[in-house]
Amino acid sequence: MRIIKCLICGRNTSVHSINAQKKLRGKIITLTNAPVYYCSACKETFLSKETQDVFRYIQDRSLEYKYILFDYDDMSKKLY
Ligand SMILES: [Zn+2]
């Protein structure tokens, strides 16, 4: 994965895997082991493009009506 600069301070971020959450149509969806960028200077976390793509995939197919918990590795295999 490409390393991006922090959107706030411009320093290099590092990639971490976290349980990312996003609200889709009023439901909180959790994506386990999702890669995010973390800036240790700002203590800020930014969703990676890969993680955003998975959330979009879930939203496009209205999967949040059936489930609220998804695994990043399982879902990313469907995308790429
Ligand atoms: Zn920063």
Side-chain angles (χ1 to χ4, degrees), residues 6 8-9 39 41-42:
C6 174
I8 297 166
C9 72
C39 174
C42 299

Side-chain angles (χ1 to χ4, degrees), residues 1-5 12-15 37:
M1 247 171 82
R2 203 167 62 90
I3 294 295
I4 62 153
K5 302 229 184 263
N12 281 335
T13 58
S14 53
V15 177
Y37 299 107

Side-chain angles (χ1 to χ4, degrees), residues 7-79:
L7 300 178
I8 297 166
C9 72
R11 289 186 178 88
N12 281 335
T13 58
S14 53
V15 177
H16 288 246
S17 289
I18 65 161
N19 294 341
Q21 292 191 315
K22 190 175 172 118
K23 205 171 190 182
L24 298 180
R25 287 185 272 255
K27 286 176 87 174
I28 303 286
I29 304 302
T30 301
L31 188 59
T32 58
N33 287 313
V36 297
Y37 299 107
Y38 175 69
C39 174
S40 55
C42 299
K43 313 280 185 232
E44 278 291 336
T45 303
F46 306 96
L47 292 187
S48 63
K49 181 183 176 298
E50 289 81 354
T51 296
Q52 291 183 46
D53 285 348
V54 169
F55 276 125
R56 194 167 306 120
Y57 178 93
I58 292 166
Q59 186 168 27
D60 286 350
R61 285 157 187 78
S62 299
L63 299 179
E64 81 278 10
Y65 285 111
K66 283 185 180 168
Y67 310 102
I68 56 165
L69 187 66
F70 297 88
D71 181 67
Y72 174 80
D73 287 332
D74 287 350
M75 296 307 290
S76 63
K77 279 182 205 137
K78 299 178 202 283
L79 268 75

